[in-house]
Amino acid sequence: MTSPTREAFPPIAEAFNAFATTTLPNQIHAPPSPHTHRLRKLQSAHNLGAAARISTQNSLISQQVLRHPQEGAPPTTRNVNRSPQRNRANSDATPPPPPTPTIFPNNLLLTLNHKRSALSKASRVADAMSLDRLIREGPPDGDVNSALESARLKVLDQGIRSDSDGMSRTRIYFWLIFIDAPILDTNEYLALIHRGASPAYSKIRNDTFRTLTTDPLFRRRVSEASLIRLLNAIAWKLHDAKEERRPTSSRLSLAHTESASSSRSDISQTDASSPSARNRARALTLTTEGSDAATSEPGTYVQGMNVLAAPFLYAARSEVEAFAAFHTLLTKECPGYIRGAMDGVHRGLALVDKVLAIVDPKLSFYLTSKGLSAEIYAFPSVLTLCACTPPLPEVLKHWDFLFAYGPQLNIVCIVAQLIMMRNELLTSLK
């Protein structure tokens, strides 16, 4: 049995010609001319197969048009007259065609194309804009998702424009956008500063003078006073949130204990009536509140927060911007970092060991055999999101990537750093 040809269905060919020229002028081409079969013998086997598939598909669409004259979208066609496939060199039989897609009505097709073009248009506009212009003018056509995706790709491909010192006018704004930091009133930050020494003030002062002491860029731009103000304000903010979560009975007992201790101190010391003396006494007595290693409750300050806050102050154009970004990172992105036992840090260290064992089992086994787990060599990198690893301009680029795609990828970056120094580790630890 031979396959049906176009000449065997002249009414179908005429109907298809009328349908193709009036209904779908841009989507479907007219069927081949009667000379097509004579020209096929002069073509290669590849061109012959392609022409045969187009001819069969057009014939099937024509049959569906005649079979459903009143419907705009006929059901999916079936090749009822399809013959078994034969050798192309011996006959002109057409091979089985691919499934024919459903033909949509003109209005529905135009609507879908319009929606696709609208989405792609917003995405194309965002891709054509630079990062600085995207910050200055906002997302085109209000399409925030397309603008965010375009900004992430640009950060990954081009990076945020900055000078040799890592300074950029737009970097802090991208950080605030990527981590979804809320708008903060400057007066709220000033109110936290004017409250004086926080419960963790003594611990803060013990850490701030040691923050990135070997980095001249940081020491030249960021003063210790600004770092103290930022960490003290963060400690007050976390302290207030902790007090709100504390039951009422516990708060009353704590207030009673504080008043009793202050009364005893007033009796024993004659100069304790001055405000400065009271602030110093409170800072010394309450410095470890909420930061005990034996508890898993959120604290007010843990060691290492000073290094984690340093890049924010370096990249921000004001302390308020640095405060908003740093507080959002601690409370939304890495809440486990500020717990007394640093649960998030230890979980991250366990992930470093697991990822390294998957990526490079030989290096992982070698380090383990030498007694080197991630708890020993990766603790600062996990705690500070690699902010402790100089140089500082490279840290800022690293944070651009982390905030764009998630701080959890810091674990993968630490493992990548180990892989880069793999040969040195295998040779130096023998």
Side-chain angles (χ1 to χ4, degrees):
M1 180 181 296
T2 60
S3 302
T5 61
R6 189 176 60 84
E7 288 80 3
F9 299 92
I12 297 178
E14 296 176 1
F16 175 76
N17 290 333
F19 174 79
T21 55
T22 59
T23 308
L24 298 173
N26 297 325
Q27 285 77 15
I28 303 176
H29 299 284
S33 63
H35 300 284
T36 303
H37 296 284
R38 290 193 298 270
L39 295 176
R40 285 177 181 172
K41 297 180 180 180
L42 303 177
Q43 296 175 342
S44 63
H46 176 74
N47 295 334
L48 177 60
R53 286 193 296 270
I54 295 175
S55 176
T56 305
Q57 183 177 0
N58 291 341
S59 300
L60 291 172
I61 296 176
S62 303
Q63 296 177 29
Q64 290 301 318
V65 172
L66 292 180
R67 188 177 302 172
H68 304 277
Q70 304 297 330
E71 299 178 5
T76 305
T77 59
R78 302 182 193 176
N79 189 7
V80 294
N81 295 324
R82 185 173 60 189
S83 61
Q85 185 177 2
R86 293 173 292 179
N87 196 331
R88 295 177 183 174
N90 297 329
S91 68
D92 292 334
T94 59
T100 305
T102 302
I103 302 175
F104 294 98
N106 285 346
N107 55 352
L108 180 58
L109 188 63
L110 292 176
T111 302
L112 294 176
N113 290 335
H114 177 71
K115 290 182 178 180
R116 295 192 195 100
S117 62
L119 291 176
S120 60
K121 178 181 178 182
S123 180
R124 287 196 301 267
V125 172
D127 292 340
M129 298 172 62
S130 64
L131 288 174
D132 294 342
R133 183 183 172 190
L134 199 59
I135 283 290
R136 185 173 59 253
E137 300 181 6
D141 299 332
D143 192 350
V144 178
N145 293 331
S146 297
L148 282 175
E149 185 64 24
S150 177
R152 291 188 179 98
L153 292 175
K154 287 180 183 296
V155 167
L156 186 63
D157 182 37
Q158 305 171 9
I160 297 177
R161 187 174 60 182
S162 59
D163 58 18
S164 59
D165 294 341
M167 299 307 302
S168 173
R169 300 181 60 184
T170 58
R171 169 171 278 122
I172 187 60
Y173 301 116
F174 279 108
W175 289 2
L176 292 169
I177 291 172
F178 286 149
I179 65 178
D180 195 18
I183 299 176
L184 179 68
D185 189 1
T186 305
N187 293 327
E188 181 179 351
Y189 178 71
L190 294 176
L192 293 173
I193 293 177
H194 293 160
R195 291 172 65 175
S198 67
Y201 182 76
S202 178
K203 294 179 69 66
I204 292 173
R205 291 300 304 269
N206 289 334
D207 292 337
T208 52
F209 72 94
R210 304 180 288 187
T211 305
L212 302 183
T213 54
T214 59
D215 197 313
L217 295 178
F218 177 78
R219 304 300 295 182
R220 184 172 66 240
R221 176 173 175 81
V222 181
S223 64
E224 184 184 359
S226 62
L227 185 60
I228 293 173
R229 286 193 298 267
L230 175 65
L231 295 175
N232 194 67
I234 289 289
W236 272 126
K237 190 76 172 179
L238 298 177
H239 174 79
D240 295 342
K242 183 179 179 181
E243 288 298 317
E244 292 177 359
R245 291 189 297 268
R246 190 190 301 273
T248 307
S249 58
S250 300
R251 279 182 287 179
L252 291 177
S253 61
L254 178 63
H256 178 71
T257 304
E258 291 180 359
S259 62
S261 62
S262 63
S263 299
R264 288 192 299 269
S265 111
D266 289 339
I267 296 174
S268 60
Q269 299 180 2
T270 58
D271 60 342
S273 58
S274 62
S276 60
R278 286 198 301 267
N279 288 335
R280 286 195 300 270
R282 186 181 185 188
L284 292 174
T285 55
L286 301 178
T287 183
T288 58
E289 178 189 354
S291 60
D292 188 5
T295 180
S296 61
E297 295 182 358
T300 59
Y301 180 82
V302 293
Q303 191 174 13
M305 284 174 58
N306 57 318
V307 181
L308 195 61
F312 288 109
L313 283 173
Y314 185 84
R317 306 182 71 181
S318 67
E319 291 184 19
V320 181
E321 294 173 346
F323 175 84
F326 187 38
H327 183 261
T328 303
L329 176 71
L330 294 177
T331 56
K332 292 184 179 180
E333 299 292 340
C334 307
Y337 278 34
I338 57 176
R339 297 184 185 275
M342 297 184 183
D343 296 338
V345 179
H346 292 289
R347 292 176 183 177
L349 292 170
L351 285 176
V352 171
D353 289 329
K354 291 182 180 179
V355 174
L356 182 61
I358 295 173
V359 175
D360 195 336
K362 181 179 179 180
L363 180 60
S364 175
F365 177 77
Y366 184 77
L367 294 177
T368 304
S369 64
K370 299 296 181 178
L372 296 176
S373 62
E375 291 277 353
I376 297 176
Y377 62 81
F379 189 88
S381 299
V382 174
L383 177 63
T384 63
L385 297 179
C386 292
C388 59
T389 305
L392 187 55
E394 296 297 325
V395 172
L396 301 180
K397 295 179 181 179
H398 176 63
W399 279 27
D400 294 341
F401 168 72
L402 292 184
F403 293 152
Y405 291 95
Q408 69 276 3
L409 292 178
N410 183 55
I411 304 300
V412 181
C413 294
I414 294 174
V415 175
Q417 188 179 14
L418 293 173
I419 299 300
M420 291 174 62
M421 59 178 67
R422 181 178 189 273
N423 295 332
E424 298 177 8
L425 292 174
L426 293 176
T427 56
S428 62
L429 296 177
K430 288 184 180 181

